[in-house]
Amino acid sequence: GAMARIRAPLFTFILAEELSRSFLPAYVNQLIVPVPGLSPQIVIGLPIVLFMLIVALGQPFLGAWSQRVGNRHAMLVGAAIAAFGFAASAFAGSVLDLLLWRSLCALGYGLVFVAAQGHVLEHTHNGNRAKSFAVFIGSIMVATVTVALAMLLAITASYALGRINFKGKSSLLLAILAVSMFPQVAVLSGMFELMQALGLYNKAIGLVVPYTIFTLPFTVWILTTFMRGLPKELEEAAIMDGCGPLRIIFEVFMPLL
């Protein structure tokens, strides 16, 4: 019913924010400018801090406005504001520009989040309200787990593709790019049958697995470009200190990400 119709759009919206947040520090590092009284490390974290602050402080006001105009209308407005903020963030010329656009993202994200909760309350009764809220929270949890799993797999794969020379690497990268451009709708029926055959239908992991598969090629491609741009001296110094590949990835490269 009404709950099923908003589940996929809500998941996609949350997934977009979670994925963009993973790459945000590296993006901010490219736009960083001196800010009086603030260290570069604090400046890099400012967009994320500002985003969370606006979402948290805006909940009461956004909730009141959502009730006044209607939850469906509020969700559409919030999604439009956030989409504009996401698009504008890609063209930010400095950290200050990025802070402005991320503020718009936060405003839209907070509005969608509040309106979605109101939508659950509006279309449920005492008998099924707990189950409906479980669907709402489940969308958030699935998006979070998908991003975490995709990042874990992608960063190890991108290290191999970006820092290690081996036969067939170029062909593998082209294959990854081709898969990322392949229309996902073409494999949905086969994916559905596979999830049923594996007994994962109507389970959270049955969503995490396909969504991770869909997001992994693009994430690997982006992180491979990032890995190639890291100074080779960092890796050489880590090797001299006795670090293996996993320690180099998670203790040297991950903090830079």
Side-chain angles (χ1 to χ4, degrees), residues 191-215:
M191 184 68 73
F192 177 75
E193 293 181 5
L194 178 62
M195 291 299 105
Q196 280 191 317
L198 295 175
L200 300 179
Y201 176 69
N202 207 25
K203 295 181 180 178
I205 191 164
L207 293 173
V208 171
V209 171
Y211 284 133
T212 301
I213 292 172
F214 290 148
T215 59

Side-chain angles (χ1 to χ4, degrees), residues 158-228:
S158 62
Y159 173 78
L161 291 168
R163 312 295 292 191
I164 301 173
N165 292 320
F166 57 90
K167 189 176 181 180
K169 184 171 74 171
S170 298
S171 300
L172 183 57
L173 279 170
L174 286 175
I176 290 172
L177 180 61
V179 170
S180 67
M181 297 172 65
F182 192 80
Q184 298 174 1
V185 68
V187 299
L188 286 181
S189 59
M191 184 68 73
F192 177 75
E193 293 181 5
L194 178 62
M195 291 299 105
Q196 280 191 317
L198 295 175
L200 300 179
Y201 176 69
N202 207 25
K203 295 181 180 178
I205 191 164
L207 293 173
V208 171
V209 171
Y211 284 133
T212 301
I213 292 172
F214 290 148
T215 59
L216 196 55
F218 178 74
T219 309
V220 169
W221 180 266
I222 294 296
L223 286 179
T224 299
T225 304
F226 169 76
M227 287 288 184
R228 283 175 172 172

Side-chain angles (χ1 to χ4, degrees), residues 163 230-240 252-253:
R163 312 295 292 191
L230 292 174
K232 191 170 181 63
E233 291 78 10
L234 285 175
E235 186 176 6
E236 292 174 347
I239 293 173
M240 291 293 291
V252 179
F253 290 164

Side-chain angles (χ1 to χ4, degrees), residues 10-152:
L10 182 62
F11 170 83
T12 305
F13 181 80
I14 295 172
L15 182 64
E17 167 54 31
E18 294 292 336
L19 279 174
S20 68
R21 196 179 304 166
S22 302
F23 298 103
L24 199 55
Y27 183 50
V28 176
N29 196 41
Q30 297 176 357
L31 303 174
I32 197 166
V33 294
V35 178
L38 295 178
S39 67
Q41 290 78 13
I42 293 178
V43 174
I44 288 174
L46 275 179
I48 294 177
V49 172
L50 180 64
F51 182 95
M52 301 304 294
L53 185 65
I54 292 175
V55 171
L57 295 181
Q59 295 289 301
F61 308 102
L62 296 175
W65 188 80
S66 178
Q67 287 183 342
R68 189 162 62 249
V69 303
N71 293 315
R72 184 177 183 276
H73 181 71
M75 273 197 285
L76 292 175
V77 171
I81 292 173
F84 180 79
F86 286 136
S89 296
F91 299 98
S94 68
V95 173
L96 298 179
D97 291 341
L98 184 62
L99 289 175
L100 172 62
W101 302 130
R102 287 296 294 175
S103 298
L104 276 182
C105 293
L107 183 65
Y109 184 90
L111 189 53
V112 169
F113 191 82
V114 169
Q117 294 180 67
H119 184 84
V120 172
L121 292 172
E122 194 176 86
H123 291 85
T124 57
H125 50 78
N126 292 336
N128 67 351
R129 186 160 294 160
K131 181 179 179 180
S132 298
F133 264 109
V135 172
F136 173 70
I137 299 299
S139 297
I140 299 174
M141 294 302 298
V142 167
T144 303
V145 172
T146 298
V147 170
L149 184 57
M151 287 296 294
L152 178 64

